[in-house]
């Protein structure tokens, strides 16, 4: 029998659409999913065997160098997910594989440490020092730790090893996660919660692709309810793994301790702030199936679960699920895709679900479970509009008379106030009073924000930073540059002048640089050491401050100006969330919403506390123009080195747009941020009917034009950013 060379195709974590073929040397086995080292040009690279080729090639192929034996192969479902996700987001498959290989160290043999433990044999000669060592050696300890615990020299310990009274045991440095205990709920569930929990348990037991929307106001106990679905998955299958996605991992300390309380062990955490050692351990433990509950940011979707039985997307409407850099994707959408591939249940939880999800629920594709607030525990505060057209603040002040009075009352009652302004820094714009020049970043079309705490001007899009100049860079006038409009720092200045003696703090991504400093500030607020907290949207999420009774929204219209498709929806969700921070337990709260546009539906229906009416209004608007969730959108952004080159290639690209029924292409138009990091940008917007395979349309279009390497194209399926 002649032996044919065996061929495997290997996908590399590179911007490559297809796997490459390699020959498998005699005696080497590498089934699909195996991690292998292969040559690529002059380099060697780790890739994944994507398929075995039945037909021998007559081309001369390079050979696989080695199979990485310690790494468990990437499961078939994971490979299917990578492929389908790549198609959906119109990105090379290799880019998605790269996201699944975030911990290279996890592929290697787990590092071991050597520990000592008593054998039970007594040494022939016993001394008091030896006695002390053996008394401490009941559990494995390193030589140094054992010597320290017994307060003896390391020589004593060594001698006991030689005498056979201690033995060396090896232990991995990546200890396995302990199995969670499904146990029972800690608190009694309300009748509402019981019904929802039972419905979710049933979905989990069906062992099929099922989507549930868990819809309930803040304080309705969504977490307790989805905990019961997690418990059911754990109970039903001793190997079940559960993924819980959270939008903001820095704020999840509280959630993590609730998991620990409910299931007896802390979940595995996966996010960018975790160190490489922690990531290595989690990746490995997920692959081995021992990490049973994983709590993570959007990238946790790309972990190699062996047996995913349930996914929870908490705060499913949150914008931070959309990744805007590199591979552009929405983690909620890909989570639904992943659940479909795994044939498991997925729960989308929110107090203000996205219109997409509400529409899927309305059409019966998703099960809609609604929770009402628990009586007595917390209720939505009274929401009042302060119409600034009637009662405006003074010049260069932003707190109007109504809000000001309410703050005074709150301080007098020894309660806390939260002022919400979604603008970092001191002033969002710096203007020359002499010539009218507005300061921009040198390579980007966006205004520079003045930051007074740091004395810098910063571009929030690119991070470009400069010292504030003494003279206007345009006309040279000295001392003519003035900040226009308020940021949180300027608001703090106003609060200090108005409410003398009040303890004021600012919470924004600039003032809390680390999760630790955030936690510290939150503890001070909880402990009553802060009277007025001023914050950006970072304050909207998840904190419960018992003495907080007043929320002031300083500029409700900010998110509506220059609005894109989701401006109204986003404003409504955000403001409702912020307003919901006021009032807890026995103290009723109130929210004062300052606005110049009280008639805009997002603001008016917010004041009425009528989410359903707002949703109905917004749905109607979208339906009329065939926008999501009634149609689909895609964006194509071309970026070139010069304006001429951008125009030239944008028109060539536009001319190549395929004709397809149910698809409209608009553009090219200069992007709102026309120049970003020195690159000139042109945008196309594609609207398609719901039944159109928009990804396939975009992929076909992209493939029709061979762009020079200096022109980059980014494709955004279901865009959230229209910049
Ligand atoms: Zn000037």
């Amino acid at each position: 029998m002649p032996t044919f060379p065996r061929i495997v195709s290997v996908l590399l974590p590179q911007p490559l659409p297809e796997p490459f073929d390699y020959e498998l040397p005699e005696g080497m086995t590498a089934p699909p999913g195996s991690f292998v080292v292969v040559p690529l040009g002059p380099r060697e690279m780790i890739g994944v065997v994507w398929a075995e080729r039945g037909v021998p090639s007559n081309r001369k192929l390079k050979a696989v160098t080695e199979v990485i034996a310690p790494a468990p192969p990437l499961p078939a479902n994971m490979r299917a997910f990578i492929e389908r996700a790549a198609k959906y987001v119109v990105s090379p498959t290799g880019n998605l594989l790269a996201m699944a290989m975030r911990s290279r160290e996890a592929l290697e043999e787990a590092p071991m440490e050597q520990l000592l433990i008593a054998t039970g044999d007594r040494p022939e000669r016993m001394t008091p020092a030896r006695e002390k060592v053996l008394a401490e050696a009941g559990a494995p300890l390193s030589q140094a730790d054992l010597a320290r615990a017994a307060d003896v020299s390391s020589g004593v310990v060594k001698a006991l090893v030689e005498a056979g009274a201690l033995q060396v045991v090896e232990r991995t440095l990546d200890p396995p996660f302990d199995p969670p205990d499904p146990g029972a709920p800690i608190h009694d569930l309300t009748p509402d919660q019981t019904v929802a929990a039972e419905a979710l348990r049933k979905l989990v037991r069906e062992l099929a692709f099922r989507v549930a929307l868990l819809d309930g106001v803040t304080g309705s106990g969504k977490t307790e309810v989805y905990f019961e679905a997690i418990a059911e998955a754990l109970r039903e299958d001793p190997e079940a793994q559960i993924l819980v996605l959270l939008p903001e991992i820095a704020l999840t300390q509280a959630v993590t301790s609730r998991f620990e309380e409910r299931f007896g062990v802390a979940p595995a955490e996966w996010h960018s702030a975790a160190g490489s050692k922690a990531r290595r351990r989690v990746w490995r433990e997920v692959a081995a199936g021992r990490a049973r509950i994983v709590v993570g940011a959007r990238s946790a979707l790309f972990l190699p679960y062996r047996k995913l039985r349930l996914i929870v997307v908490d705060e499913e409407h949150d914008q931070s699920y959309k990744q805007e850099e590199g591979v552009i994707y929405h983690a909620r959408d890909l989570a639904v895709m992943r659940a479909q591939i795994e044939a498991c249940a997925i729960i989308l939880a929110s107090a203000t679900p996205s219109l997409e999800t509400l529409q899927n629920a309305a059409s019966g594709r998703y099960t809609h479970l609604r929770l009402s607030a628990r009586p007595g525990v917390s209720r939505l505060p009274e929401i009042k509009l302060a119409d600034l057209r009637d009662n405006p603040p003074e010049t260069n002040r932003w707190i109007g008379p109504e809000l000001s009075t309410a703050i005074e009352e709150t301080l007098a009652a020894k309660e806390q106030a939260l002022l919400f302004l979604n603008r970092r820094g001191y002033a969002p714009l710096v203007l020359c009073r002499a010539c009218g020049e507005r300061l921009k970043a040198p390579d980007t079309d966006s205004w520079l924000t003045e930051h007074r705490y740091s004395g810098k001007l910063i571009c929030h899009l690119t991070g470009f930073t400069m010292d504030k100049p003494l003279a206007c860079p345009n006309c040279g006038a000295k001392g003519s540059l003035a900040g226009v409009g308020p940021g949180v720092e300027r608001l703090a200045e106003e609060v200090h002048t108005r409410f003398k003696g009040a303890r004021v703090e600012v919470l924004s991504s600039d003032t809390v640089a680390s999760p630790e400093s955030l936690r510290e500030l939150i503890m001070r607020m909880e402990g009553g050491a802060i009277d007025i907290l001023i914050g950006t949207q970072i304050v909207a999420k998840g904190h419960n401050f018992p003495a907080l009774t007043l929320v002031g929204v300083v500029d409700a219209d900010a998110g509506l100006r220059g609005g894109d498709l989701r401006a109204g929806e986003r404003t409504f969700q955000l403001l409702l969330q912020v307003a919901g921070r006021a009032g807890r337990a026995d103290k009723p709260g109130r929210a004062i919403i300052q606005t110049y546009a009280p008639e805009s539906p997002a603001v008016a229906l917010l004041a009425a506390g009528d989410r359903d009416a707002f949703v109905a209004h917004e749905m109607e608007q979208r339906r009329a123009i065939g926008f999501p969730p009634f149609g689909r959108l895609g964006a194509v952004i071309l970026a070139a080195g010069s304006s001429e080159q951008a125009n030239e290639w944008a028109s060539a690209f536009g001319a190549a747009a395929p004709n397809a029924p149910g698809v409209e292409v608009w553009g090219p138009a200069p992007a709102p941020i026309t120049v970003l990091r020195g690159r000139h940008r042109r945008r196309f917007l594609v609207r398609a009917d719901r039944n159109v395979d928009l990804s396939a349309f975009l992929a076909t279009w992209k493939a029709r034009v061979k762009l020079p390497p200096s022109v980059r194209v980014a494709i955004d399926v279901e865009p959230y950013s229209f910049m």
Side-chain angles (χ1 to χ4, degrees), residues 302-461:
F302 290 89
L303 288 171
Y305 303 93
R306 272 166 74 115
K307 206 173 194 185
L308 199 52
R309 297 279 17 122
L310 174 65
I311 303 176
V312 178
V313 183
D314 205 349
E315 310 284 357
E316 69 88 29
H317 66 278
D318 199 284
Q319 278 236 89
S320 60
Y321 282 125
K322 181 87 184 189
Q323 171 153 307
E324 301 280 6
E325 302 259 300
V327 176
I328 302 174
Y329 70 94
H330 198 301
R332 184 237 303 141
D333 297 347
L334 291 194
V336 171
M337 178 188 289
R338 178 118 208 211
Q340 193 168 22
I341 291 170
E342 305 281 351
C344 74
I346 175 167
I347 301 168
L348 309 178
S350 176
T352 51
S354 63
L355 292 193
E356 280 82 355
T357 296
L358 284 170
Q359 178 58 22
N360 277 320
S363 69
R365 274 188 292 272
Y366 296 177
T367 305
H368 194 170
L369 302 167
R370 275 190 103 148
L371 293 175
S372 49
R374 282 176 290 177
V377 172
S378 103
R379 44 208 134 132
L380 207 62
E382 174 204 344
I383 301 177
K384 198 166 173 302
L385 292 188
D387 188 342
L388 296 183
R389 294 173 310 187
D390 300 339
N391 291 301
E394 298 154 47
T395 310
N396 274 338
R397 294 279 182 107
W398 287 273
I399 298 174
E402 273 177 78
L403 181 54
S404 181
T405 308
I407 295 172
E408 273 160 20
E409 288 165 3
T410 305
L411 294 175
K414 303 261 179 269
E415 292 170 354
Q416 291 173 314
L418 168 69
L419 298 182
F420 173 72
L421 177 65
N422 207 9
R423 278 209 211 94
R424 293 160 52 196
Y426 185 81
L429 174 69
V430 180
L431 182 88
C432 171
R433 278 183 299 229
C435 73
E437 171 85 352
R438 296 158 170 222
L439 296 197
K440 273 207 275 187
D443 61 348
T444 298
D445 274 331
S446 81
W447 312 129
L448 290 170
T449 295
E450 179 177 4
H451 284 245
R452 245 183 222 184
Y453 294 170
S454 62
K456 304 278 186 197
L457 303 184
I458 300 175
C459 170
H460 287 169
L461 277 175

Side-chain angles (χ1 to χ4, degrees), residues 613-686:
F614 174 74
V615 167
H617 165 85
E618 195 68 17
M619 288 280 196
E620 213 29 66
Q621 302 270 307
R622 305 260 191 106
R623 193 196 301 272
I625 51 171
F627 269 32
F630 302 99
R632 309 199 51 206
L633 283 185
V636 178
I637 301 111
L638 263 73
S642 72
S643 186
E644 294 72 33
Q645 196 189 24
N647 286 340
E648 182 192 329
W649 283 100
S651 76
F653 204 84
N659 270 320
V663 180
E664 296 155 82
V665 175
W666 295 308
I673 305 290
T674 313
V675 186
L676 179 63
R677 296 189 177 96
R679 303 192 60 84
H680 295 253
R681 304 163 76 238
R682 302 290 180 269
R683 274 185 80 99
F684 294 90
L685 189 63
V686 182

Side-chain angles (χ1 to χ4, degrees), residues 54-192:
V55 192
S57 161
N58 43 20
R59 282 179 297 146
K60 180 73 193 131
L61 293 172
K62 289 193 172 163
V64 172
T65 316
E66 117 180 63
V67 179
I68 305 178
L74 213 53
N77 279 351
M78 182 67 192
R79 301 195 310 271
F81 174 60
I82 287 171
E83 252 173 37
R84 217 193 283 178
K87 275 209 180 72
Y88 180 76
V89 303
V90 197
S91 180
T93 317
N95 279 350
L96 279 284
L97 176 64
M99 292 164 69
M101 289 174 61
R102 280 283 159 75
S103 177
R104 296 299 168 94
E105 291 171 53
L107 302 177
E108 288 151 25
E109 201 79 63
M112 305 295 277
E113 58 181 343
Q114 300 203 322
L115 303 174
L116 297 174
I117 190 166
T119 57
D121 294 349
R122 308 280 297 173
E124 276 173 29
R125 193 174 62 82
M126 194 50 109
T127 64
R130 289 184 164 195
E131 285 283 6
K132 276 196 282 179
V133 172
L134 291 179
E136 298 289 342
L141 279 177
S142 72
Q143 184 181 308
D145 286 346
L146 186 53
R148 202 173 305 124
D151 194 21
V152 300
S153 75
S154 62
V156 178
V157 178
K158 272 188 210 154
L160 281 169
V161 177
E162 280 156 25
L166 291 175
Q167 64 174 350
V168 177
V169 288
E170 284 211 321
R171 192 173 67 180
T172 170
L173 273 175
D174 293 344
F177 285 93
D178 291 326
D181 175 5
I186 290 165
H187 310 286
D188 286 339
L189 299 183
T190 63
D192 248 23

Side-chain angles (χ1 to χ4, degrees), residues 211-559:
V211 192
L213 164 60
L214 183 58
D215 178 355
V217 298
T218 311
S220 61
K222 290 187 291 294
T223 313
E224 279 96 341
V225 171
Y226 73 63
F227 275 179
E228 294 320 299
I230 294 174
E232 189 72 359
L234 293 172
R235 248 181 246 123
E236 286 280 299
D237 184 341
E239 292 175 347
Q241 290 175 298
I242 294 108
L243 165 63
V244 180
L245 291 178
L246 296 169
E248 197 88 41
I249 206 75
L251 308 174
T252 56
Q253 183 73 12
V255 179
T256 304
S257 41
R258 287 175 76 182
F259 272 91
E260 210 169 336
E261 215 183 10
R262 174 64 181 82
F263 299 106
V265 293
E269 282 184 50
W270 178 268
H271 49 84
S272 55
S276 66
K277 215 176 129 188
R279 277 212 298 273
R280 176 187 75 200
R281 177 183 175 216
V282 171
W283 198 97
R284 204 196 296 280
E285 285 290 298
V286 168
R290 278 185 302 256
R292 304 281 307 281
I293 305 179
V294 178
V295 173
R298 58 191 180 213
S299 56
L301 258 180
F302 290 89
L303 288 171
Y305 303 93
R306 272 166 74 115
K307 206 173 194 185
L308 199 52
R309 297 279 17 122
L310 174 65
I311 303 176
V312 178
V313 183
D314 205 349
E315 310 284 357
E316 69 88 29
H317 66 278
D318 199 284
Q319 278 236 89
S320 60
Y321 282 125
K322 181 87 184 189
Q323 171 153 307
E324 301 280 6
E325 302 259 300
V327 176
I328 302 174
Y329 70 94
H330 198 301
R332 184 237 303 141
D333 297 347
L334 291 194
V336 171
M337 178 188 289
R338 178 118 208 211
Q340 193 168 22
I341 291 170
E342 305 281 351
C344 74
I346 175 167
I347 301 168
L348 309 178
S350 176
T352 51
S354 63
L355 292 193
E356 280 82 355
T357 296
L358 284 170
Q359 178 58 22
N360 277 320
S363 69
R365 274 188 292 272
Y366 296 177
T367 305
H368 194 170
L369 302 167
R370 275 190 103 148
L371 293 175
S372 49
R374 282 176 290 177
V377 172
S378 103
R379 44 208 134 132
L380 207 62
E382 174 204 344
I383 301 177
K384 198 166 173 302
L385 292 188
D387 188 342
L388 296 183
R389 294 173 310 187
D390 300 339
N391 291 301
E394 298 154 47
T395 310
N396 274 338
R397 294 279 182 107
W398 287 273
I399 298 174
E402 273 177 78
L403 181 54
S404 181
T405 308
I407 295 172
E408 273 160 20
E409 288 165 3
T410 305
L411 294 175
K414 303 261 179 269
E415 292 170 354
Q416 291 173 314
L418 168 69
L419 298 182
F420 173 72
L421 177 65
N422 207 9
R423 278 209 211 94
R424 293 160 52 196
Y426 185 81
L429 174 69
V430 180
L431 182 88
C432 171
R433 278 183 299 229
C435 73
E437 171 85 352
R438 296 158 170 222
L439 296 197
K440 273 207 275 187
D443 61 348
T444 298
D445 274 331
S446 81
W447 312 129
L448 290 170
T449 295
E450 179 177 4
H451 284 245
R452 245 183 222 184
Y453 294 170
S454 62
K456 304 278 186 197
L457 303 184
I458 300 175
C459 170
H460 287 169
L461 277 175
T462 64
F464 167 85
T465 300
M466 62 184 272
D467 289 330
K468 187 179 176 187
L470 297 171
C472 169
N474 186 46
C475 72
K478 287 218 166 90
S480 69
L481 296 176
V484 179
V488 282
E489 294 177 4
R490 193 173 210 173
L491 188 63
E493 198 176 82
E494 179 178 347
V495 167
H496 277 298
T497 352
R498 264 176 200 267
F499 310 102
K500 297 227 181 320
R503 295 162 301 170
V504 182
E505 298 246 12
V506 173
L507 173 51
S508 81
S509 53
D510 302 300
T511 59
V512 287
S514 64
E516 288 72 39
S517 56
L518 173 65
R519 226 166 283 151
E520 206 246 327
L521 189 141
I522 288 182
M523 274 168 65
R524 261 182 295 138
M525 181 73 181
E526 277 172 355
I530 299 170
D531 299 314
I532 303 175
L533 183 63
I534 297 173
T536 58
Q537 62 179 358
I538 194 169
V539 302
K541 289 172 193 170
H543 315 292
N544 301 321
F545 304 119
L548 175 65
T549 55
L550 173 68
V551 165
V553 172
V554 174
D555 182 0
D557 318 326

